[in-house]
């Protein structure tokens, strides 16, 4: 997650946007039982209770404590439990210690109500003639931060449910992962030249989308759609996971040490492939975009196909010609600062700059990305071995 830059944030609708996003998080919780809020099967996955508490802590810590002098903190101990990685604001619990029976789920919901009431009162003061630019900026950041955690809520929960012996469904009959890949099978030719990369305009962006700058690209072609399950099955059948020459050294070590032979959640019984979805176990849909693959797998598949992954700059230059948004798409670009990037002062400066090492950029959005939370300049980023997010592959040459 990244720090924000807001240009022209609308004060008139900020409270409505805040309440809508907070309500959307609660809607995600509707199918859950109390026990579902607690498990944390691996370090990279946070329990639902932690996700909804952390986003609440964000508003309390960065906004209410600063802008409401008489604000009553709900529980001073929560700052230690629900701080994610902000060293500036104090100590925090270890990332692999987020599976907590206490505070209870009921207490966390009471915490959210407490903060929502205070935020609603505070945002109701906007438009009274006072300069509230800092408040609007931080609230807009908090809104986008919560939308990021709404996507994490679903991907984290899916991993937790897949780890259960009975593999329960999040919502029965809910299978957006099985929708066919959008776009043309043909490759799209993009002429070479200079391209402007990065955010522009008056809307919200994260700081890693700035500063806008010019890059020169050679002519290239990019696929009109993402790689499908049936296409990835050809890679598997052809021994892709057994052919060392297709893999980066780190990737080859990873699949061997972890005994990886298919995308995450895939299983093969008697020659029939199925996969775990948010709707439970289901047959593998051949025409759906492959998902839950690591950068290592995406790169190996590209090598096998005789093509390559696009750079993030190529992806952005071609984005207006692509029907994107079903999967986060791995690029062949390391996550690095743009020329002119500057970390904001204070705790929000920890959002981004310190993570610009050993990670790869993904572009686009996924089926779990909240509406209105995607744009062509958005830079997602993960370590190359991770695949619990809804990640996919688009090829270039």
């Amino acid at each position: 997650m990244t720090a924000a830059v807001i240009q022209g944030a609308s004060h008139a609708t900020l409270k409505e946007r805040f309440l809508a996003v907070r309500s959307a998080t609660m809607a995600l919780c509707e199918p859950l039982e109390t026990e579902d809020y607690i498990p944390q099967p691996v370090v990279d996955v946070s329990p639902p209770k932690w996700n909804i508490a952390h986003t609440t802590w964000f508003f309390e810590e960065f906004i209410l404590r600063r802008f409401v002098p008489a604000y009553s903190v709900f529980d001073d101990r929560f700052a230690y439990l629900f701080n994610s990685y902000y060293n500036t604001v104090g100590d925090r619990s270890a990332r692999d210690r987020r599976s907590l029976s206490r505070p209870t789920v009921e207490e966390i919901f009471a915490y959210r109500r407490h903060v929502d009431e205070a935020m609603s009162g505070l945002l109701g003061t906007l438009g009274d003639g006072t300069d509230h630019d800092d408040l609007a900026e931080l609230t807009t950041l908090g809104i986008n931060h919560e939308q990021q955690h709404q996507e994490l809520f679903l991907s984290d929960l899916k991993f937790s449910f897949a780890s259960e012996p009975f593999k329960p469904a999040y919502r029965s009959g809910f299978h957006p992962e099985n929708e066919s890949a959008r776009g043309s099978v043909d490759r799209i030719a993009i002429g070479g030249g200079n391209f402007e990369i990065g955010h522009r305009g008056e809307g919200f962006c994260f700081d890693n989308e700035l500063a806008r700058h010019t890059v020169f690209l050679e002519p290239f072609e990019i696929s009109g759609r993402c790689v499908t399950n049936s296409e990835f099955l050809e890679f598997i059948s052809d021994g892709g996971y057994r052919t060392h020459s297709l893999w980066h050294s780190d990737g080859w070590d990873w699949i061997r040490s972890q005994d990886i032979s298919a995308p995450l959640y895939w299983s093969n019984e008697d020659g029939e492939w199925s996969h775990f979805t948010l709707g439970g176990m289901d047959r593998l849909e051949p025409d759906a975009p492959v998902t839950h693959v690591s950068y290592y797998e995406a790169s190996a598949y590209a090598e096998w196909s005789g093509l390559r992954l696009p750079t993030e700059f190529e992806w952005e230059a071609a984005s207006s010609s692509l029907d994107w948004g079903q999967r986060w798409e791995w690029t062949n670009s390391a996550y690095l600062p743009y020329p002119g990037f500057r970390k904001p002062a204070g705790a929000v400066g920890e959002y981004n700059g310190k993570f610009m090492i050993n990670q790869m950029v993904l572009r686009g959005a996924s089926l779990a990305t909240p509406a209105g939370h995607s744009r062509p300049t958005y830079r997602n980023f993960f370590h190359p071995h991770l695949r619990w997010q809804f990640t996919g592959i688009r090829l270039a040459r």
Side-chain angles (χ1 to χ4, degrees):
M1 287 172 291
T2 55
V5 174
I6 295 96
Q7 299 171 342
S10 172
H11 291 181
T13 62
L14 195 55
K15 179 178 177 179
E16 294 175 351
R17 290 172 54 212
F18 168 80
L19 293 174
V21 167
R22 297 290 279 176
S23 295
T25 298
M26 299 309 295
L28 293 176
C29 296
E30 289 175 0
L32 302 189
E33 301 293 342
T34 301
E35 293 81 1
D36 296 329
Y37 287 90
I38 298 173
Q40 183 184 19
V42 295
V43 64
D44 297 305
V45 168
S46 297
K49 185 168 73 172
W50 190 91
N51 273 316
I52 62 177
H54 167 68
T55 52
T56 300
W57 168 85
F58 187 96
F59 288 110
E60 181 176 68
E61 178 65 36
F62 294 116
I63 298 174
L64 294 175
R65 282 177 175 264
R66 173 178 172 182
F67 292 99
V68 182
Y71 174 71
S72 176
V73 173
F74 184 84
D75 190 320
D76 286 321
R77 299 172 297 177
F78 283 11
Y80 174 77
L81 293 178
F82 302 124
N83 178 1
S84 55
Y85 47 70
Y86 298 92
N87 294 305
T88 303
V89 298
D91 292 336
R92 62 198 187 280
S93 59
R95 188 175 179 182
D96 61 350
R97 297 290 189 270
R98 293 176 177 175
S99 180
L100 307 168
S101 61
R102 302 296 176 95
T104 65
V105 174
E106 184 178 353
E107 287 177 292
I108 295 305
F109 285 140
Y111 179 36
R112 282 184 70 89
R113 290 191 296 271
H114 175 85
V115 168
D116 286 353
E117 181 179 351
M119 283 293 301
S120 294
L122 175 62
L123 296 178
T125 68
L126 293 177
D128 63 2
T130 307
D131 184 0
H132 290 294
D133 286 350
D134 286 349
L135 172 57
E137 179 169 340
L138 285 169
T139 302
T140 303
L141 171 58
I143 288 170
N144 282 268
H145 170 257
E146 180 138 352
Q147 288 180 307
Q148 289 179 316
H149 277 271
Q150 288 168 355
E151 182 156 10
L152 287 168
F153 181 101
L154 290 174
S155 54
D156 290 357
L157 186 67
K158 181 179 179 180
F159 190 97
S160 294
F161 277 177
S163 303
E164 296 283 341
F166 297 154
K167 292 181 168 42
Y170 168 63
R171 292 184 189 270
S172 297
F174 184 69
H175 298 293
E177 295 118 298
N178 288 347
E179 295 178 358
S180 296
R182 300 195 301 258
S184 169
V185 297
D186 298 327
R187 286 189 288 269
I188 299 167
I190 305 295
N194 291 324
F195 293 85
E196 293 296 311
I197 299 297
H199 181 79
R200 67 177 175 184
E202 297 300 315
F204 171 86
C205 76
F206 291 113
D207 65 351
N208 67 350
E209 299 171 57
L210 297 174
R212 190 168 172 85
H213 62 289
T214 302
V215 299
F216 175 79
L217 300 176
E218 297 286 352
F220 67 97
E221 295 180 346
I222 189 166
S223 176
R225 62 159 171 77
C226 290
V227 172
T228 64
N229 289 328
S230 62
E231 291 168 334
F232 201 85
L233 278 170
E234 295 178 19
F235 168 76
I236 296 175
S237 298
D238 197 42
Y241 282 95
R242 302 188 302 274
T243 307
H244 67 84
S245 59
L246 300 176
W247 297 80
H248 289 98
S249 177
D250 285 352
W252 184 245
D253 291 344
W254 172 71
I255 63 168
R256 295 177 70 195
S257 65
Q258 301 298 316
D259 194 26
I260 304 293
S261 59
L264 185 64
Y265 305 129
W266 283 29
S267 61
N268 188 331
E269 295 186 12
D270 300 324
E272 295 292 328
W273 285 95
S274 61
H275 65 145
F276 181 73
T277 75
L278 289 168
M281 289 300 300
D282 198 7
R283 65 181 291 272
L284 193 69
E285 175 55 51
D287 294 331
V290 67
T291 192
H292 298 299
V293 289
S294 67
Y295 168 80
Y296 293 139
E297 290 164 293
S299 178
Y301 178 88
E303 183 75 14
W304 171 81
S305 70
L307 300 172
R308 62 177 176 82
L309 300 178
T311 68
E312 66 165 317
F313 311 114
E314 290 173 331
W315 191 98
E316 187 171 326
S319 61
S320 62
S321 300
L322 306 177
D323 192 350
W324 53 268
Q326 291 180 285
R327 304 289 186 266
W328 285 106
E329 302 174 21
W330 286 108
T331 74
N332 206 33
S333 295
Y335 181 50
L336 296 170
Y338 285 167
F341 170 78
R342 295 290 183 271
K343 288 192 294 184
V348 295
E350 295 190 61
Y351 245 106
N352 197 7
K354 68 182 184 181
F355 298 115
M356 289 178 171
I357 186 156
N358 299 331
Q359 306 202 59
M360 302 300 291
V361 173
L362 301 102
R363 289 303 194 101
S366 84
L367 59 96
T369 306
H373 188 66
S374 60
R375 54 192 167 272
T377 59
Y378 199 122
R379 305 175 76 202
N380 205 347
F381 53 95
F382 285 104
H383 292 286
H385 70 284
L386 294 177
R387 54 186 192 159
W388 95 106
Q389 267 293 349
F390 292 94
T391 51
I393 307 169
R394 189 186 299 269
L395 299 175
R397 72 173 182 180

